[in-house]
Amino acid sequence: MKQLWIFVIILVPLISCAPQEKASSITTRTLVEKYGYPFEEHSVQTSDGYILGLHRIPYSARVNYDGQRPVAFLMHGLLCSSSDWVLLGTENALAFILSDAGYDVWMGNARGNTYSKDHATLHPLLPKFWKFDWHEIGMIDLPAMIDYVRYETGEEQVHYFGHSQGTTSFLVLNSLNTKFKSRIKSAHLMAPVAFMENMKSPLVKLAAPLLGNPKSWMNIFGNLEFLPNTRIMELLGQKACHDASKYQSMCSNVIFLMAGFDDENMNKTLIPEILATTPAGASTNQIFHYLQEYNSGKFREFDHGKLLKKPKDYPIEKIDVPIFLYYSENDYMSSEVDVEKLMRKLKESTLRGAHKVPHPRWNHLDYLWGLNINEQLHDAIMEDLDTINNE
């Protein structure tokens, strides 16, 4: 354990201070094209000037049919990117599975991550660029990307797939903009994060008392970038985390510390590619907002510490979209108790299914990179999709 903490102490400053321009050479494009699938890059400008990267697998290399197809829109979690949906390869990555099943697959990227670091007027080196949290991702980024996809494809509705923060932002949007339901045919939320009072992450428990209190951090931290994607991480993965490395167990333990310990399901061979693409960057305010959720036990707007402007709870009970939830027992970030609280808040007609992953050690990141992921997760997702499509 002492080795683990030394590794964390050295690694975190290294990532945070890494030069911004030296990003990893492994990208969503290289990962998709490696398997012979078609790939498209699109850009969407939001109403407040952020230019978001949208990635598309228009049709399957195996099926080779490029006609009209239903749309699957995938949205990543905190510090992640579109790359996470394709890292596991053609047999196990959700983006490829949906493509082979006949879906037009689009993968979003939230403002500030590796593929969405441009702005009409602001440079990422300016603190003002980073003045946002996942509320803006839900209320501005998601509608901009989904409406662009609908326009490009001619499809009125999309099937939405979100992991972690991709579930949070979806719940924000659909609780505050109930008219958006007409654009969503079904929503599949993996490791859903809304209420966080019972989360088990030791890092969150350590940070929340200081950084989850607006009065304590407002005068210390400004608007900053947190853990950008760098070439240094790619080199670290190649040198220290490969199968023959004596340090590989430390690499996986750093991941477990955040997500939940699960040595059985960790695809350790994939660690170098994981570190080359993740973390993908975020705003510090995204982190602070989650820490506030942990402290308050509420699912509510960002607390700016203003006495006359208290944060409002997100009205989850107003959501009117067919939702399927997928959760697990060993998730440090999305506890079973908090997911059950979310279930009780959702309308009975809205919550169409809730699946607990069978494996008792399944953690927060196994939803992206876990071994036996089809048996544990994807088979249930595809069955739920069939249920909706057959109605």
Side-chain angles (χ1 to χ4, degrees):
M1 182 59 73
K2 182 179 178 181
Q3 284 181 313
L4 170 60
W5 283 109
I6 293 173
F7 189 79
V8 172
I9 291 168
I10 294 173
L11 179 62
V12 170
L14 186 66
I15 304 169
S16 303
C17 300
Q20 192 176 47
E21 67 274 8
K22 295 182 180 179
S24 167
S25 62
I26 297 177
T27 65
T28 307
R29 175 182 285 277
T30 63
L31 291 165
V32 172
E33 292 183 343
K34 176 172 70 173
Y35 298 107
Y37 281 66
F39 180 82
E40 295 177 7
E41 290 185 79
H42 297 252
S43 294
V44 180
Q45 183 168 322
T46 66
S47 58
D48 55 351
Y50 289 88
I51 300 172
L52 312 177
L54 257 178
H55 295 154
R56 182 189 192 188
I57 304 176
Y59 57 90
S60 169
R62 296 176 176 179
V63 178
N64 203 31
Y65 170 70
D66 60 357
Q68 191 83 4
R69 294 163 317 290
V71 171
F73 183 89
L74 283 63
M75 193 63 191
H76 62 81
L78 180 68
L79 294 170
C80 292
S81 72
S82 57
S83 299
D84 296 300
W85 300 113
V86 296
L87 270 174
L88 278 179
T90 56
E91 302 303 320
N92 298 296
L94 184 58
F96 291 121
I97 290 172
L98 289 167
S99 180
D100 290 346
Y103 289 86
D104 186 350
V105 177
W106 293 76
M107 296 169 281
N109 286 287
R111 59 181 65 193
N113 88 351
T114 305
Y115 304 107
S116 299
K117 293 181 76 169
D118 289 324
H119 192 280
T121 59
L122 299 174
H123 193 279
L125 291 177
L126 297 173
K128 192 174 180 180
F129 179 94
W130 300 101
K131 193 177 181 180
F132 62 84
D133 62 270
W134 38 259
H135 177 90
E136 285 76 22
I137 293 171
M139 293 303 295
I140 303 175
D141 292 6
L142 286 186
M145 290 187 287
I146 291 174
D147 282 345
Y148 177 90
V149 169
R150 293 171 59 244
Y151 176 81
E152 284 290 307
T153 62
E155 290 288 304
E156 288 297 317
Q157 294 184 307
V158 307
H159 294 280
Y160 183 94
F161 302 82
H163 171 251
S164 189
Q165 183 185 260
T167 72
T168 312
S169 53
F170 179 86
L171 294 170
V172 168
L173 169 61
N174 285 277
S175 65
L176 295 179
N177 183 358
T178 55
K179 293 182 179 179
F180 204 79
K181 67 179 183 180
S182 63
R183 279 106 150 161
I184 307 296
K185 189 163 186 178
S186 67
H188 306 263
L189 308 184
M190 293 162 268
V193 181
F195 302 100
M196 300 178 65
E197 185 179 12
N198 297 285
M199 71 184 315
K200 306 170 188 175
S201 169
L203 294 180
V204 171
K205 291 182 177 182
L206 183 66
L210 173 63
L211 302 180
N213 181 349
K215 293 181 181 179
S216 62
W217 63 255
M218 280 181 68
N219 297 320
I220 303 173
F221 297 93
N223 302 301
L224 301 171
E225 181 178 18
F226 185 72
L227 299 183
N229 177 253
T230 66
R231 175 67 172 159
I232 291 176
M233 288 301 292
E234 181 179 7
L235 293 174
L236 177 66
Q238 292 172 352
K239 299 297 183 182
C241 304
H242 56 83
D243 283 342
S245 172
K246 63 181 180 180
Y247 301 109
Q248 191 188 63
S249 61
M250 285 198 295
C251 296
S252 57
N253 280 336
V254 170
I255 295 172
F256 294 156
L257 189 66
M258 297 182 288
F261 287 82
D262 184 13
D263 200 53
E264 292 179 51
N265 290 302
M266 181 67 190
N267 188 340
K268 294 181 181 178
T269 301
L270 199 63
I271 292 177
E273 286 189 318
I274 291 173
L275 292 180
T277 56
T278 309
S283 164
T284 50
N285 287 335
Q286 292 168 248
I287 311 296
F288 296 153
H289 198 167
Y290 275 129
L291 296 179
Q292 288 182 8
E293 301 287 287
Y294 173 77
N295 284 346
S296 69
K298 306 284 188 179
F299 183 44
R300 64 187 188 187
E301 297 177 6
F302 195 93
D303 187 352
H304 293 275
K306 298 178 180 179
L307 292 176
L308 300 179
K309 191 176 181 181
K310 295 295 183 182
K312 297 178 181 178
D313 290 353
Y314 293 110
I316 294 176
E317 65 280 358
K318 292 185 178 180
I319 298 175
D320 192 20
V321 175
I323 289 178
F324 297 88
L325 301 179
Y326 311 87
Y327 64 103
S328 55
E329 186 177 338
N330 185 44
D331 191 331
Y332 275 16
M333 306 301 287
S334 174
S335 82
E336 190 174 356
V337 175
D338 290 332
V339 174
E340 289 171 350
K341 183 175 181 179
L342 171 62
M343 292 180 200
R344 293 193 295 271
K345 294 285 186 178
L346 291 168
K347 290 190 297 188
E348 187 175 344
S349 59
T350 294
L351 182 58
R352 299 293 302 275
H355 302 273
K356 183 177 177 179
V357 175
H359 200 290
R361 304 301 297 168
W362 198 260
N363 72 28
H364 196 68
L365 296 178
D366 286 336
Y367 291 89
L368 301 174
W369 312 316
L371 295 172
N372 303 312
I373 193 169
N374 291 337
E375 176 186 342
Q376 297 293 329
L377 175 66
H378 292 160
D379 289 349
I381 290 176
M382 299 309 290
E383 288 178 9
D384 291 337
L385 267 176
D386 287 342
T387 298
I388 289 293
N389 290 328
N390 290 330
E391 289 181 351

